[in-house]
Short mmCIF file of all heavy atoms in Angstrom, two decimals:
data_model
loop_
_atom_site.label_atom_id
_atom_site.label_comp_id
_atom_site.label_asym_id
_atom_site.label_seq_id
_atom_site.Cartn_x
_atom_site.Cartn_y
_atom_site.Cartn_z
N LEU B 448 -9.27 32.57 19.73
CA LEU B 448 -8.59 32.74 18.43
C LEU B 448 -9.63 32.56 17.28
O LEU B 448 -9.62 33.28 16.30
CB LEU B 448 -7.53 31.70 18.26
CG LEU B 448 -6.21 32.00 19.04
CD1 LEU B 448 -5.33 30.73 19.07
CD2 LEU B 448 -5.43 33.16 18.37
N GLU B 449 -10.50 31.64 17.48
CA GLU B 449 -11.52 31.40 16.47
C GLU B 449 -12.46 32.59 16.32
O GLU B 449 -12.83 32.98 15.25
CB GLU B 449 -12.32 30.12 16.84
CG GLU B 449 -13.34 29.68 15.89
CD GLU B 449 -14.16 28.48 16.37
OE1 GLU B 449 -13.58 27.56 16.98
OE2 GLU B 449 -15.42 28.52 16.23
N LYS B 450 -12.85 33.16 17.51
CA LYS B 450 -13.79 34.31 17.51
C LYS B 450 -13.12 35.60 16.99
O LYS B 450 -13.80 36.50 16.54
CB LYS B 450 -14.39 34.47 18.85
CG LYS B 450 -15.19 33.30 19.34
CD LYS B 450 -16.40 33.00 18.42
CE LYS B 450 -17.14 31.77 18.82
NZ LYS B 450 -18.16 31.42 17.78
N MET B 451 -11.81 35.62 17.12
CA MET B 451 -11.13 36.86 16.65
C MET B 451 -11.32 37.05 15.15
O MET B 451 -11.25 38.19 14.67
CB MET B 451 -9.61 36.72 16.95
CG MET B 451 -9.22 37.16 18.37
SD MET B 451 -7.49 37.01 18.66
CE MET B 451 -6.93 38.40 17.68
N ARG B 452 -11.55 35.97 14.47
CA ARG B 452 -11.74 36.13 13.00
C ARG B 452 -13.08 36.77 12.66
O ARG B 452 -13.37 37.17 11.58
CB ARG B 452 -11.67 34.70 12.34
CG ARG B 452 -10.28 34.11 12.42
CD ARG B 452 -10.22 32.93 11.41
NE ARG B 452 -10.98 31.80 11.84
CZ ARG B 452 -10.47 30.77 12.49
NH1 ARG B 452 -9.16 30.75 12.83
NH2 ARG B 452 -11.20 29.73 12.86
N ASP B 453 -13.99 36.78 13.75
CA ASP B 453 -15.33 37.32 13.51
C ASP B 453 -15.49 38.79 13.90
O ASP B 453 -16.58 39.32 13.76
CB ASP B 453 -16.37 36.49 14.25
CG ASP B 453 -16.37 35.02 13.79
OD1 ASP B 453 -15.99 34.78 12.65
OD2 ASP B 453 -16.73 34.12 14.61
N ILE B 454 -14.42 39.36 14.45
CA ILE B 454 -14.57 40.82 14.80
C ILE B 454 -14.04 41.64 13.67
O ILE B 454 -13.25 41.17 12.84
CB ILE B 454 -13.86 41.06 16.15
CG1 ILE B 454 -12.32 40.75 16.05
CG2 ILE B 454 -14.50 40.34 17.31
CD1 ILE B 454 -11.55 41.20 17.25
N PRO B 455 -14.45 42.91 13.54
CA PRO B 455 -14.00 43.79 12.48
C PRO B 455 -12.46 43.90 12.42
O PRO B 455 -11.80 43.73 13.41
CB PRO B 455 -14.66 45.11 12.81
CG PRO B 455 -15.79 44.80 13.70
CD PRO B 455 -15.37 43.59 14.46
N ALA B 456 -12.00 44.17 11.21
CA ALA B 456 -10.55 44.23 10.96
C ALA B 456 -9.85 45.29 11.87
O ALA B 456 -8.75 45.05 12.41
CB ALA B 456 -10.25 44.50 9.52
N ASP B 457 -10.48 46.44 12.06
CA ASP B 457 -9.87 47.49 12.86
C ASP B 457 -9.84 47.05 14.32
O ASP B 457 -8.87 47.35 15.03
CB ASP B 457 -10.60 48.82 12.70
CG ASP B 457 -11.96 48.86 13.38
OD1 ASP B 457 -12.71 47.89 13.16
OD2 ASP B 457 -12.23 49.80 14.14
N CYS B 458 -10.82 46.25 14.75
CA CYS B 458 -10.74 45.71 16.08
C CYS B 458 -9.57 44.74 16.27
O CYS B 458 -8.87 44.78 17.27
CB CYS B 458 -12.07 44.96 16.44
SG CYS B 458 -13.36 46.05 17.04
N GLN B 459 -9.41 43.94 15.29
CA GLN B 459 -8.26 42.95 15.31
C GLN B 459 -6.98 43.77 15.44
O GLN B 459 -6.09 43.36 16.20
CB GLN B 459 -8.29 42.09 14.04
CG GLN B 459 -9.37 41.12 13.98
CD GLN B 459 -9.31 40.24 12.72
OE1 GLN B 459 -8.28 40.04 12.18
NE2 GLN B 459 -10.47 39.78 12.23
N SER B 460 -6.89 44.84 14.70
CA SER B 460 -5.65 45.59 14.68
C SER B 460 -5.42 46.31 16.01
O SER B 460 -4.30 46.25 16.57
CB SER B 460 -5.75 46.66 13.56
OG SER B 460 -4.58 47.33 13.44
N ILE B 461 -6.51 46.86 16.57
CA ILE B 461 -6.39 47.55 17.86
C ILE B 461 -5.95 46.57 18.91
O ILE B 461 -5.01 46.82 19.69
CB ILE B 461 -7.73 48.23 18.23
CG1 ILE B 461 -7.96 49.47 17.35
CG2 ILE B 461 -7.74 48.64 19.72
CD1 ILE B 461 -9.37 50.02 17.52
N LEU B 462 -6.64 45.46 18.99
CA LEU B 462 -6.33 44.47 20.04
C LEU B 462 -4.90 43.94 19.87
O LEU B 462 -4.15 43.77 20.87
CB LEU B 462 -7.31 43.32 19.98
CG LEU B 462 -8.80 43.68 20.36
CD1 LEU B 462 -9.69 42.45 20.19
CD2 LEU B 462 -8.84 44.14 21.85
N SER B 463 -4.56 43.68 18.62
CA SER B 463 -3.22 43.16 18.37
C SER B 463 -2.15 44.11 18.80
O SER B 463 -1.21 43.73 19.50
CB SER B 463 -3.08 42.85 16.85
OG SER B 463 -1.77 42.52 16.53
N GLN B 464 -2.29 45.37 18.46
CA GLN B 464 -1.26 46.32 18.86
C GLN B 464 -1.23 46.59 20.33
O GLN B 464 -0.18 46.78 20.94
CB GLN B 464 -1.46 47.64 18.04
CG GLN B 464 -1.19 47.43 16.59
CD GLN B 464 -1.25 48.72 15.85
OE1 GLN B 464 -0.44 49.57 16.08
NE2 GLN B 464 -2.12 48.83 14.86
N PHE B 465 -2.38 46.62 20.90
CA PHE B 465 -2.51 46.89 22.31
C PHE B 465 -1.85 45.83 23.15
O PHE B 465 -1.07 46.06 24.06
CB PHE B 465 -3.95 47.02 22.73
CG PHE B 465 -4.16 47.72 24.04
CD1 PHE B 465 -4.12 49.11 24.13
CD2 PHE B 465 -4.47 46.97 25.16
CE1 PHE B 465 -4.28 49.78 25.31
CE2 PHE B 465 -4.67 47.64 26.35
CZ PHE B 465 -4.57 48.99 26.45
N TYR B 466 -2.16 44.57 22.82
CA TYR B 466 -1.64 43.46 23.62
C TYR B 466 -0.29 42.89 23.11
O TYR B 466 0.56 42.56 23.90
CB TYR B 466 -2.65 42.29 23.66
CG TYR B 466 -3.89 42.65 24.49
CD1 TYR B 466 -5.14 42.69 23.86
CD2 TYR B 466 -3.79 42.79 25.85
CE1 TYR B 466 -6.28 42.93 24.60
CE2 TYR B 466 -4.92 43.08 26.60
CZ TYR B 466 -6.18 43.14 25.99
OH TYR B 466 -7.27 43.46 26.70
N LEU B 467 -0.25 42.77 21.81
CA LEU B 467 0.95 42.08 21.27
C LEU B 467 2.16 42.99 21.23
O LEU B 467 3.26 42.55 21.63
CB LEU B 467 0.60 41.60 19.81
CG LEU B 467 1.70 40.91 19.07
CD1 LEU B 467 2.07 39.61 19.77
CD2 LEU B 467 1.27 40.59 17.66
N GLU B 468 1.97 44.16 20.72
CA GLU B 468 3.16 44.99 20.51
C GLU B 468 3.45 45.92 21.66
O GLU B 468 4.42 46.63 21.66
CB GLU B 468 2.99 45.79 19.24
CG GLU B 468 2.86 44.80 18.05
CD GLU B 468 2.45 45.52 16.73
OE1 GLU B 468 2.76 46.71 16.61
OE2 GLU B 468 1.88 44.86 15.87
N GLY B 469 2.51 45.95 22.63
CA GLY B 469 2.76 46.73 23.86
C GLY B 469 2.84 48.23 23.58
O GLY B 469 3.58 48.97 24.27
#
Side-chain angles (χ1 to χ4, degrees):
Chain B
L448 284 166
E449 185 184 316
K450 297 300 174 187
M451 277 180 73
R452 293 196 288 265
D453 298 334
I454 59 173
D457 71 313
C458 273
Q459 289 181 28
S460 186
I461 289 171
L462 293 176
S463 173
Q464 293 188 60
F465 196 79
Y466 289 115
L467 179 63
E468 299 171 25

